[in-house]
Amino acid sequence: MALPALSLSLQFGTLSDPAPHRAALPRHFVTRCIRHALAADAEITVRIVDTEEGQALNNGYRQKDYATNVLTFDYAVEPMVMADLVLCAPVVALEAREMGIPLAQHYAHLLVHGCLHAQGWDHETSEADADAMEAYESEILAGLGWPDPYAGKA
């Protein structure tokens, strides 16, 4: 089965140390992660931001005054998925270090996670929804060759 088509805009905001993020996120890698998580053709922008921009977006749209790892702005699911995924580079790097995993592995997980949010998946609505979303993320990531990010979760 062919993967959905993807029109991707990959943007890097002003980062104090962009090299590791650019190295972890080549365009073909981002495209592959997102296409494997899509159920339909899509137009998606992925923007990599610093803490200040991530915090401003999270505060402005979610009234949460801190930078988070990934924000999803979903605009349409049909006839094609249209969304912006905003990943906060310093938060993603810190989380990857704390988990002891490669930066690219954590980015892969968050790209899949954000892409599922763009298609209506939500882990904050119920425990059953969270379990279903996590199981699907694990399945997609396994297909991409990455380990289960939820392995060992109680």
Side-chain angles (χ1 to χ4, degrees), residues 17-90:
D17 184 19
H21 303 281
R22 287 185 177 276
L25 292 167
R27 184 176 187 80
H28 65 84
F29 173 85
V30 175
T31 299
R32 184 169 183 258
C33 290
I34 291 175
R35 287 185 74 203
H36 278 78
L38 286 172
D41 294 348
E43 291 181 6
I44 294 182
T45 295
V46 173
R47 182 168 173 80
I48 311 303
V49 302
D50 63 6
T51 302
E52 182 178 34
E53 185 174 345
Q55 183 171 350
L57 288 167
N58 201 23
N59 193 26
Y61 291 96
R62 298 177 65 221
Q63 292 74 52
K64 297 184 178 185
D65 194 20
Y66 58 89
T68 189
N69 52 16
V70 60
L71 293 168
T72 300
F73 299 92
D74 55 323
Y75 308 113
V77 176
E78 294 180 347
M80 72 172 21
V81 177
M82 298 177 73
D84 296 338
L85 307 180
V86 178
L87 292 101
C88 183

Side-chain angles (χ1 to χ4, degrees), residues 9-21:
S9 174
L10 178 59
Q11 305 172 357
F12 288 85
T14 302
L15 302 174
S16 63
D17 184 19
H21 303 281

